[in-house]
Amino acid sequence: MGFTIYTTTISLAETLSVGVSRAFVGVPADRICGVVVYGTDHSAEYHHLLGEIKCAVRGALNRPLPVTLVPQPILPADGFTLDIYTLDSNATFRIEELGGICYGVIEEGEDKMLFVEGVVSSDFGASVEQQSREVFGRLESLLSRYGFAVDDIVRQWNYIGNIVAYRCGKQNYQEFNDARTAYYSKGAWRNGYPAATGIGASFEGIIVGCITFKSGRAGAVCPIDNPLQVAAHVYSKSVLIDHRADATKSTPKFERAKLIECGHGACCFVSGTAAIRGEQSLEAESVVEQTIKTIENIEYLVSAENLLRSGCRSCKLQYAKLHVFIKHAEDYEQVREVVERAYPQVAVTYTVADVCRGELLVEIEGILIS
């Protein structure tokens, strides 16, 4: 159940139907299990544009597909970037829809996975708490349909409009974390929290996409910690931001990475990672130094030494995909130079997005496969 990810860009000069059809050329259409589209920065057009993209995908493939539209401008040009996820194993899968949410049901031997498109809040004018609870409620209904519990989520993507801004005195990211903690309280999390990214988005809404996984084999799921960083779910209150005296200030519930053994291989999801050592941001560093420190964090995280320390079985991993979120578009060239020097053969998507701490300038997430 590993993934191969094809990345392509659609220019604004193309119609969506033409651009999407072109994007699928050369991709094994019968193995496509999901598409993530990056672009747009306007709340007002979001739902309409998402509908257009889904229609274009359905028209190109003659079937529905999980589609997530992430409102983050792409770099270095205008338009859209598509990450096309394909299964690189003999797993069987089917695409289904429930309550307006499209998802893939993937099965191989004792292993079962759901690939769920981004669940989008319906009312961008509602509070972050209301939007988050709506999204998590819809997600919970979907997972329970197939016997998945919240603690079967192994990878989660959280896109939060104006992530470091405030509404009614409460920071948007902190309000989202409080809602996530409430939802996660329904699980035992014996295999650790999911790998996750909590990142800004250029609209007022909330989007949550995820991958769930369960197996009849013991030890198929392994959480990976990083000794260079304090685990996010045990951060001290001093690094959690809220100006209200009565604030709960729940911690962000995720692991630094999550490795799953599936079929004859393994897939490692690297959470959104930034220039944090211990639990403190390296805020005095330049964007170049923050990028270097972020890459150092990732490299140690997925090193053979740390995988062994985390109790993962020995496997040789290679990068399938990286995504780099850059706070200021003008920093793109400097960041790209550092990233491409470290990963010359890896496909990389670059977008503009606020990181969850105002002082951080860059964040990187990734997927590795054996």
Side-chain angles (χ1 to χ4, degrees):
M1 291 185 185
F3 300 102
T4 297
I5 304 171
Y6 296 80
T7 299
T8 189
T9 299
I10 298 176
S11 74
L12 293 179
E14 297 178 285
T15 65
L16 277 173
S17 58
V18 169
V20 168
S21 294
R22 179 183 55 78
F24 290 139
V25 173
V27 180
D30 62 333
R31 306 308 292 166
I32 299 173
C33 60
V35 175
V36 182
V37 182
Y38 302 93
T40 189
D41 57 359
H42 301 292
S43 292
E45 69 175 9
Y46 180 86
H47 288 290
H48 174 72
L49 181 58
L50 175 59
E52 285 192 323
I53 294 172
K54 286 191 171 188
C55 284
V57 169
R58 185 187 291 261
L61 296 177
N62 294 316
R63 62 181 173 92
L65 199 67
V67 175
T68 302
L69 173 60
V70 181
Q72 295 174 346
I74 65 170
L75 294 166
D78 291 330
F80 301 95
T81 291
L82 276 68
D83 285 346
I84 304 169
Y85 283 73
T86 66
L87 288 170
D88 58 8
S89 71
N90 294 320
T92 61
F93 76 98
R94 63 188 185 276
I95 304 299
E96 298 188 3
E97 292 181 279
L98 178 69
I101 305 169
C102 190
Y103 54 95
V105 184
I106 305 165
E107 297 177 281
E108 185 175 16
E110 299 180 86
D111 302 334
K112 187 173 184 179
M113 177 185 289
L114 291 185
F115 187 106
V116 184
E117 70 180 8
V119 181
V120 187
S121 54
S122 59
D123 181 4
F124 295 168
S127 70
V128 171
E129 178 184 9
Q130 290 172 315
Q131 292 189 60
S132 302
R133 290 186 182 277
E134 175 203 352
V135 167
F136 286 131
R138 294 176 66 196
L139 184 60
E140 182 178 16
S141 296
L142 171 60
L143 299 190
S144 64
R145 179 179 184 177
Y146 290 98
F148 283 94
V150 59
D151 49 12
D152 291 318
I153 299 174
V154 292
R155 183 53 164 112
Q156 186 169 310
W157 289 269
N158 310 294
Y159 303 103
I160 302 153
N162 299 309
I163 189 170
V164 294
Y166 289 79
R167 293 189 192 185
C168 301
K170 190 168 186 181
Q171 189 202 46
N172 289 341
Y173 185 49
Q174 186 58 59
E175 193 162 7
F176 174 83
N177 282 329
D178 291 345
R180 172 166 53 177
T181 295
Y183 176 43
Y184 280 12
S185 67
K186 300 177 182 182
W189 300 104
R190 294 182 181 87
N191 293 316
Y193 292 113
T197 300
I199 198 74
S202 300
F203 76 153
E204 300 295 329
I206 300 291
I207 306 169
V208 174
C210 74
I211 294 173
T212 67
F213 177 80
K214 64 195 312 181
S215 175
R217 297 172 293 108
V221 179
C222 181
I224 305 172
D225 202 359
N226 191 342
L228 299 179
Q229 299 179 295
V230 172
H233 50 85
V234 294
Y235 278 163
S236 68
K237 299 293 184 183
S238 65
V239 296
L240 305 178
I241 299 175
D242 202 304
H243 290 174
R244 301 182 312 156
D246 61 343
T248 304
K249 297 210 293 189
S250 302
T251 56
K253 302 295 192 295
F254 69 93
E255 307 294 342
R256 297 299 179 187
K258 203 80 175 273
L259 187 142
I260 63 172
E261 292 185 359
C262 41
H264 300 290
C267 185
C268 180
F269 299 105
V270 174
S271 298
T273 304
I276 296 173
R277 293 294 166 87
E279 63 176 11
Q280 300 298 325
S281 303
L282 303 179
E283 57 184 295
E285 307 283 0
S286 68
V287 68
V288 169
E289 287 300 318
Q290 283 197 19
T291 306
I292 291 171
K293 293 293 172 51
T294 299
I295 291 172
E296 288 175 357
N297 284 341
I298 292 173
E299 287 301 293
Y300 186 75
L301 176 69
V302 299
S303 67
E305 172 190 353
N306 194 52
L307 292 178
L308 182 62
R309 191 196 68 83
S310 299
C312 300
R313 293 177 183 143
S314 178
C315 60
K316 186 175 182 180
L317 297 171
Q318 60 183 8
Y319 288 92
K321 176 72 184 181
L322 290 171
H323 188 135
V324 180
F325 306 94
I326 303 173
K327 183 172 184 176
H328 302 298
E330 59 268 27
D331 291 336
Y332 165 69
E333 289 295 344
Q334 294 183 81
V335 173
R336 181 189 60 80
E337 183 178 346
V338 175
V339 172
E340 292 189 358
R341 186 166 60 244
Y343 305 106
Q345 304 299 321
V346 180
V348 184
T349 294
Y350 297 88
T351 58
V352 180
D354 271 336
V355 185
C356 63
R357 297 186 186 182
E359 67 274 13
L360 294 174
L361 305 174
V362 64
E363 183 167 317
I364 303 175
E365 66 176 27
I367 298 177
L368 296 88
I369 59 173
S370 65

